Every structure is written in C-alpha cells, then in structure tokens.
Amino acid sequence: MTPHTLPAVRGGAVTAHGAGQPPQALAEFVHPGDRVLTVGPGTAPLQLAGWTGQPVTSVHTTLADVEVIRAALGPHGRAAGTVDATVGELFDGRPDAGLFDVVLVTAAVPGLSPRWLDQLAPGGVIVAPVALGGLHLWTACGHDHVKADGLLYGSVLAAGLPAVGPPSAPGERFAVTQSGPPVERLSCPTWAPQWAGVTPPRLTPEGYVDLWAWLATRDDRITAARTDGTEWGPGCALVVGHSAVHVRPDGLWLSDTQPATLALAQVVAEDVQEWGRQHRPAATELTCRLGRRPDAGPDELVTAAGWTTHRPVQVSRPAKKEEPQ
C-alpha cells in the first residue's frame, strides 16, 4: 500500500499545500508582455507583474491571501490594476480572464488541472511544484518545440525538501498552507549495521534531494517520513505496511529486522547503488511525460509518468517577436 504522500482530488478540486517560493529558473519562461496567471498562495504575482510589465491575474483560496497581495500593492498599485487577485477554486484557474502565456502554480499538486491547460495560450508553459515521493519538483510543463510531436512533457527546474504539514481533513476540498504535504509519521527506526555505508559518504543536502528524487522515480512507495522519538525528518523512506526503510546520509535505518523489512532494504540498497553507477544524476535532469487515461473524466488531473534522466526534453518559451513599427 502506498502511504498518503500526495494531495488528492475530491469533488473536482485539488487538495494542495503551499510549496514556497518559485525557483530562479522561472525567469527563463517569463518574457515582457506575457499574460501570466498565478494559482495558489504567495506574493509571486507582484514580482511577475514587474517582469512582464503587464497586469498579472491570480486566484487564491482565501480572502486573507488576496489581502496580502492588495496590501503589498499599495494604493497606486491597486488603482493601476497591477494584479487582478480574486478568491476562487484553484482547480478552475481564471476562465473569465482569457488565455495565458504562463501559468504559475504555487501549491504542491499531484498533477495539472485540465482547466489550466484549457487557459494556456499556444506555446505557453505551466510551472508547478509537482509532488513526487514527498518532494516538490518544480516542473516546467509544456510542449517540446524541438520534437514538435504534440505531446506534453515536464522538465524539472528545482527540487525542495518537504516541510512537516498537517494532513487534510476528511472531505476538505482545499488545504493550502505554507507548510508542505502530509508526512508519514513512523516509529523510531533500528540501526542495522549491515546497511551502514549504503548511501554515499559526504552526501550534501543537495545530493540527498537528488538521491531521494531518483529513488522516488524508481519506486512509488517512497515517501516523506518523520520518525517519532528523533529529530529526523522529514526524510526519505520506503514504506510498506508496518515495514519502513529510512534512507539517511549515514546508511539505511530499518523499522525492524523482520524478513520483509530486510527485503525492502535490499531493494533500496540496489537502487542507491544504481544512482551511483549512473553518476549521481541531479533531480534537475529528470523529465516526465504528462497525460490522462483514455477514459478519464473531464475533471481528472493530467499527471506525470515515466520519470527518467534519459529522455532529452526542451520545454522552453521562445521570446516574443517584436511587432513591426
């Protein structure tokens, strides 16, 4: 059974959590004159309005989020219409405002709302923190203009560690916070000497995120876990039922030494070693395909699949040509 690591879709809406500030690489996709939509919490619309020189449209789940934007704009910015901020359903975007060149999502989501795609102008890009294995993978989603095959791809721009956040309440349509996705709480693990040194020595925090992302692409049972009785976490763990294998910079820590748990540890160890054999690919080398099942309903998310470091993808936005004088 896969632990509850990802937000869920309930009643056509995404249960999402705040994912922090967008990565610097977002600047590669936003050009002067672009029409931009932001979906979710935060003050990114203010910066994007400065980049584009155009009013930015945004949708938030609470009036408090909208008031943060309005207060930061000040009287002049509000009068100038620098940001058109409103309360609404994040899943719906802003169908009243036309098509957008860039849609920036600031809530960690398990996939893209088809309505965001409907509101995307030709050649446009959605940048969103797609949840994978408990991580936020900031992903540029769009068409590969070199392949020109009409398929939708994702290319990771940055990856961040999750923060501890409360799980969504039953039936809650949206739970947007700044804290991050739910984190599995597990009992204190046991040091198993035979698994010492499985993870590479001198693993940096960035390298740990890279390894975590790699493991999550190879096994959908990878999740974010915080261990009771320790200061760890949230960290990477493979969890099946009551068995858990924690991936730590100093090795693998096991929930117990039962045969089932030892078997899981062997799986993790082999995947860690493969990461090393592949020259420790970074999370930003990951790409994915995006799509829906053929029988998907109209409100089913467009989800990522086929995460790999072996598929060259160039999701980009050429600068707009200047209009002749």
Side-chain angles (χ1 to χ4, degrees):
M1 180 185 71
T2 303
H4 301 292
T5 59
L6 300 180
V9 178
R10 298 190 180 94
V14 182
T15 302
H17 299 266
Q21 291 299 314
Q24 291 292 328
L26 174 65
E28 301 174 15
F29 299 91
V30 182
H31 307 313
D34 279 349
R35 297 201 65 205
V36 178
L37 168 68
T38 68
V39 178
T43 57
L46 302 173
Q47 183 176 19
L48 290 170
W51 289 0
T52 64
Q54 298 291 325
V56 169
T57 305
S58 67
V59 58
H60 307 265
T61 55
T62 68
L63 182 59
D65 287 333
V66 172
E67 289 303 324
V68 167
I69 298 293
R70 291 174 177 169
L73 284 170
H76 177 73
R78 290 194 294 272
T82 305
V83 178
D84 174 12
T86 189
V87 175
E89 190 71 80
L90 300 192
F91 185 88
D92 292 337
R94 286 289 302 273
D96 60 305
L99 299 180
F100 301 94
D101 301 300
V102 178
V103 175
L104 171 66
V105 183
T106 58
V109 292
L112 308 181
S113 165
R115 300 179 193 177
W116 303 338
L117 290 166
D118 290 342
Q119 294 161 40
L120 201 61
V125 171
I126 297 177
V127 177
V130 179
L132 176 70
L135 292 173
H136 297 148
L137 300 183
W138 283 95
T139 305
C141 307
H143 298 289
D144 187 316
H145 300 289
V146 176
K147 290 185 174 67
D149 55 10
L151 300 178
L152 196 63
Y153 294 99
S155 179
V156 174
L157 305 179
L161 286 168
V164 177
S168 303
E172 189 171 34
R173 290 170 64 82
F174 280 90
V176 180
T177 70
Q178 297 297 332
S179 56
V183 174
E184 190 82 3
R185 295 196 69 87
L186 303 173
S187 59
C188 186
T190 302
W191 175 245
Q194 64 266 41
W195 304 109
V198 169
T199 46
R202 297 181 296 279
L203 192 63
T204 64
E206 293 78 12
Y208 182 67
V209 172
D210 294 338
L211 172 58
W212 187 338
W214 168 269
L215 295 174
T217 65
R218 296 173 69 85
D219 197 321
D220 63 7
R221 300 170 297 183
I222 292 291
T223 184
R226 173 175 284 279
T227 54
D228 291 332
T230 75
E231 295 181 355
W232 296 0
C236 175
L238 189 149
V239 183
V240 179
H242 296 292
S243 297
V245 177
H246 299 258
V247 182
R248 295 275 299 162
D250 57 355
L252 306 183
W253 289 67
L254 282 54
S255 58
D256 54 68
T257 54
Q258 297 299 313
T261 306
L262 293 173
L264 289 179
Q266 185 62 46
V267 169
V268 175
E270 291 173 0
D271 285 345
V272 171
Q273 290 165 8
E274 182 61 23
W275 181 66
R277 284 192 290 268
Q278 295 293 329
H279 308 292
R280 303 188 186 186
T284 50
E285 297 177 45
L286 287 169
T287 65
C288 64
R289 296 185 304 274
L290 291 148
R292 295 196 295 170
R293 296 181 294 106
D295 59 344
D299 286 345
E300 187 163 329
L301 293 182
V302 176
T303 55
W307 290 98
T308 181
T309 58
H310 299 299
R311 183 194 305 109
V313 169
Q314 296 184 31
V315 176
S316 60
R317 285 203 60 238
K320 290 183 176 179
K321 295 181 180 179
E322 293 186 5
E323 295 292 334
Q325 299 295 323

